[in-house]
Amino acid sequence: MNLTNNVKQLLFKRIVKLKTRMILILGVMVLIQTGLVGGFALTYLSQALDEQMAQKAMHVANTISDIPSVQRAVTERDSNFLHPLSLKLAEKNGARYVVIADHLGIRLAHPDIDAIGLSMLDDEPDERPLTFPGGKGYAYTAQGSLGTSMRARAPIISPDTDEVIGVVSVGYLTDRIASVVNRYRQTLALVIILGFLVSAVMAIAFADYVKRAIFGLEPDQIGRLYQERNATLESVREGIIAINGDGRITTCNQTALATLGLPTSQDLIGLPVQEVLPDSNILEVLATGEPHYDQHVWMQGKQLIVNRIPLTNGGQITGVVSSFRRKDELDRVSQQLDRVQQYADSLRSQAHEYSNKLHTIAGLIQIGATEQALTFIGQENQSHQALIQLLVEAVPDPILAGCLLGKYNRARELGLSLTVDESSHMAELPDDLSREQLVAIIGNLLDNALEATLRHHGTGGEVRLSMTDLGNDLIFEMDDDGPGITPEDQLRIFEKGVTSKKGAGHGIGLYLVRKQLDELNGQIIVEPGDHGGSRFIVFIPKIPPVKKQV
């Protein structure tokens, strides 16, 4: 049964298109509305005509009952006078009949001369009594010898005794009301047909407009696309947030909530983006229409790569879509691919170097110089142990210490040396300072110094690092054996894409350093080094500012 209903619904959706549905819906609405209004109008018209006819009949009856000659003729029971007078009065007032009777209801005047002398109560099944409370007449509808009529009865009062001596009955046939109502009913039918045709034309025009606005799609197709769109948003690993022209959020996937650290159960749809992300630059794109591509943004200790694209319709900006992803996720694969070749080259050089050292140790043992062999082995491990001891004492933070130890090993792989000043001290690292940002800044600068030294000096070069946490700033100094940086280049090296290296994929490290320092309100100074290279001096406040969000 359910399968049959589903098949019927599917066939209905495919056969009955949007335009047909709108014609049917609007047409039925017009039919219902005009039918209800017309039915009410006809009912009200019929009642109004009944009341109007009753008032007219009552007025004619009262007027006739007040004529002195009528009062006198009733007293004398003069039918010869009353009969022609009733016919004349009926014709003059457009009434179907005027009947005059005595106080007992015996007719003294009637359109049918044979009915004179008979009781007027014989024509009424309910035998309505001839009583007039307060001396006033009344109107009613009844079936008489001449048909259904609106009747009005008025008492004839004797001017001498103030007693009821007779009654005047005036009747108007109700078929006149039926003919008027039928005439209006025909007019209403024409109005309903015309309204349906007008609604059909409006439905076609409106349906064409809607179809153009929705790119010719049917409602069920839009529903499927909406479901596919939601599934697509949730399947991508990038956070996506979209706003409309009023700056309110219209789209937000679960990845965006997780990346921004918001509760995944929170519904952001309809909220102003300024309330959710107070420091977001997405409103800048909405105001200017200028897209943002691959912008690096720090938020809650996470570095994100953000793209913001304006949405336009007819030349007007209607909203903005922002997509973002953690940079470390993108960098992880890139760095691994970039360093595979470096590791391979380093391993080959180290294998050759350690092969020579092993041969030396083996030769010393063979000739019996055991103490010299042990001394040679100790010298190889001495510098490494000295650095570890220095880091333990001067840099209690394990993340920064691990970064420096990793760069030390990296320098050895490249055939270089990384020397840390023995007077360095870096124990007062603020708890709210992002360690990820800190190691990104120091790591990028050390990598840049090692590569510059290797290109210019070759193996055997040295990079020197000095650190201090005295005062209100954390200060790092890095001195390399590279070719140095000209004053002109010192103004450009922090721009994105500016590099002295060959090949693609460079010119990012120092740009990121500048971006991250701006986030921390830090500074960096570039000056000539003591050994012909360059010296980079970094100042990071111990009280970092609030991070900007996406």
Side-chain angles (χ1 to χ4, degrees):
M1 187 65 179
N2 293 333
L3 180 60
T4 304
N5 292 335
N6 293 335
V7 172
K8 291 181 179 179
Q9 293 178 1
L10 181 61
L11 291 176
F12 177 79
K13 290 180 180 179
R14 290 188 175 180
I15 296 175
V16 183
K17 300 299 182 181
L18 177 62
K19 184 179 296 185
T20 307
R21 295 184 198 178
M22 297 189 69
I23 293 175
L24 292 176
I25 292 174
L26 292 180
V28 171
M29 289 179 61
V30 170
L31 291 177
I32 294 176
Q33 290 177 352
T34 54
L36 292 176
V37 174
F40 172 79
L42 292 176
T43 302
Y44 178 78
L45 176 64
S46 178
Q47 294 177 353
L49 291 176
D50 285 343
E51 293 177 1
Q52 182 180 5
M53 186 173 287
Q55 292 176 359
K56 184 177 182 181
M58 195 72 249
H59 176 72
V60 173
N62 287 328
T63 301
I64 295 174
S65 67
D66 291 336
I67 299 176
S69 60
V70 173
Q71 296 173 354
R72 183 175 60 253
V74 170
T75 302
E76 297 174 356
R77 302 184 66 82
D78 187 359
S79 296
N80 292 329
F81 173 77
L82 294 175
H83 177 65
L85 179 63
S86 65
L87 295 177
K88 183 178 180 180
L89 291 174
E91 181 181 1
K92 184 177 180 179
N93 290 280
R96 180 63 182 86
Y97 63 84
V98 174
V99 176
I100 303 175
D102 61 12
H103 68 287
L104 298 177
I106 303 302
R107 297 186 183 101
L108 301 176
H110 193 277
D112 185 2
I113 195 170
D114 295 333
I116 297 176
L118 301 178
S119 175
M120 62 190 303
L121 301 178
D122 295 342
D123 296 336
E124 299 183 9
D126 58 353
E127 297 183 0
R128 185 182 295 269
L130 297 176
T131 57
F132 302 97
K136 296 182 179 180
Y138 54 86
Y140 64 99
T141 302
Q143 179 70 34
S145 60
L146 299 177
T148 303
S149 61
M150 176 62 71
R151 299 181 180 184
R153 288 179 179 177
I156 302 175
I157 307 297
S158 173
D160 299 328
T161 62
D162 290 334
E163 295 180 353
V164 177
I165 61 175
V167 60
V168 176
S169 179
V170 178
Y172 287 88
L173 294 180
T174 57
D175 56 357
R176 294 184 179 180
I177 297 177
S179 63
V180 173
V181 173
N182 287 333
R183 188 165 62 250
Y184 279 98
R185 185 178 288 111
Q186 293 174 0
T187 303
L188 177 63
L190 293 177
V191 171
I192 291 177
I193 295 174
L194 180 61
F196 180 81
L197 295 177
V198 171
S199 66
V201 173
M202 293 179 61
I204 293 174
F206 184 67
D208 290 338
Y209 168 76
V210 172
K211 293 280 284 186
R212 289 193 301 270
I214 60 178
F215 306 103
L217 299 174
E218 294 293 327
D220 54 320
Q221 294 175 323
I222 296 176
R224 288 196 302 271
L225 290 176
Y226 181 77
Q227 293 177 342
E228 293 174 2
R229 168 255 195 191
N230 288 340
T232 302
L233 287 177
E234 297 303 333
S235 65
V236 298
R237 297 187 62 184
E238 285 194 353
I240 297 177
I241 291 180
I243 62 172
N244 59 16
D246 298 327
R248 294 186 176 272
I249 298 176
T250 57
T251 300
C252 180
N253 62 356
Q254 291 295 315
T255 305
L257 296 176
T259 304
L260 297 175
L262 300 174
T264 55
S265 60
Q266 183 176 1
D267 186 10
L268 304 182
I269 305 302
L271 297 179
V273 69
Q274 201 67 13
E275 293 183 6
V276 181
L277 305 173
D279 298 324
S280 174
N281 290 329
I282 193 171
L283 293 179
E284 178 184 339
V285 179
L286 184 64
T288 63
E290 295 294 331
H292 295 170
Y293 295 107
D294 297 332
Q295 287 201 346
H296 296 260
V297 178
W298 279 94
M299 187 273 296
Q300 295 183 352
K302 303 173 184 176
Q303 187 178 14
L304 305 178
I305 297 180
V306 182
N307 292 280
R308 305 183 185 98
I309 308 297
L311 301 176
T312 59
N313 186 10
Q316 297 293 327
I317 300 176
T318 59
V320 180
V321 175
S322 175
S323 63
F324 46 91
R325 189 169 183 176
R326 291 187 58 172
K327 182 179 181 298
D328 54 1
E329 295 180 1
L330 301 176
D331 288 343
R332 190 174 298 118
V333 176
S334 177
Q335 291 174 357
Q336 289 176 352
L337 294 176
D338 290 340
R339 291 180 179 177
V340 165
Q341 185 62 41
Q342 296 178 6
Y343 287 150
D345 295 339
S346 298
L347 288 175
R348 282 195 296 269
S349 62
Q350 288 186 17
H352 180 73
E353 178 183 356
Y354 279 99
S355 176
N356 293 331
K357 292 179 179 180
L358 288 175
H359 291 160
T360 302
I361 294 172
L364 291 173
I365 295 175
Q366 288 177 355
I367 64 176
T370 307
E371 293 183 2
Q372 289 83 351
L374 293 176
T375 301
F376 186 79
I377 295 173
Q379 290 174 350
E380 287 297 311
N381 194 42
Q382 184 177 1
S383 60
H384 191 270
Q385 291 298 325
L387 177 63
I388 294 177
Q389 183 64 28
L390 175 61
L391 294 178
V392 169
E393 295 177 355
V395 187
D397 188 86
I399 297 178
L400 179 58
C403 172
L404 298 179
L405 185 59
K407 297 305 177 183
Y408 173 82
N409 293 329
R410 173 61 178 160
R412 287 178 58 87
E413 293 172 1
L414 298 175
L416 305 174
S417 62
L418 173 60
T419 303
V420 180
D421 190 351
E422 295 181 356
S423 62
S424 295
H425 188 268
M426 191 59 61
E428 295 184 8
L429 290 180
D431 293 335
D432 55 356
L433 177 64
S434 171
R435 299 304 190 267
E436 185 175 353
Q437 284 182 282
L438 181 60
V439 299
I441 295 171
I442 303 306
N444 276 322
L445 290 175
L446 288 176
D447 284 340
N448 192 72
L450 291 174
E451 292 178 5
T453 300
L454 183 62
R455 289 199 315 272
H456 179 70
H457 192 280
T459 58
E462 182 182 9
V463 174
R464 290 156 291 278
L465 172 64
S466 175
M467 304 174 290
T468 180
D469 55 9
L470 297 178
N472 298 324
D473 296 323
L474 306 177
I475 304 175
F476 298 84
E477 294 187 16
M478 280 147 279
D479 196 346
D480 60 53
D481 288 346
I485 302 175
T486 63
E488 296 78 12
D489 290 340
Q490 290 179 8
L491 301 176
R492 301 177 57 251
I493 57 174
F494 296 104
E495 297 178 7
K496 188 176 182 180
V498 176
T499 179
S500 59
K501 304 172 188 176
K502 297 181 179 179
H506 301 292
I508 300 295
L510 292 180
Y511 166 76
L512 294 179
V513 169
R514 167 60 69 187
K515 292 282 290 184
Q516 292 154 1
L517 285 173
D518 289 342
E519 294 286 340
L520 298 174
N521 280 352
Q523 296 181 351
I524 186 169
I525 298 175
V526 183
E527 60 184 28
D530 295 336
H531 300 81
S534 300
R535 177 184 293 118
F536 288 79
I537 306 175
V538 175
F539 300 88
I540 301 177
K542 293 183 179 179
I543 303 178
V546 179
K547 304 294 190 302
K548 288 186 178 181
Q549 299 184 3
V550 178

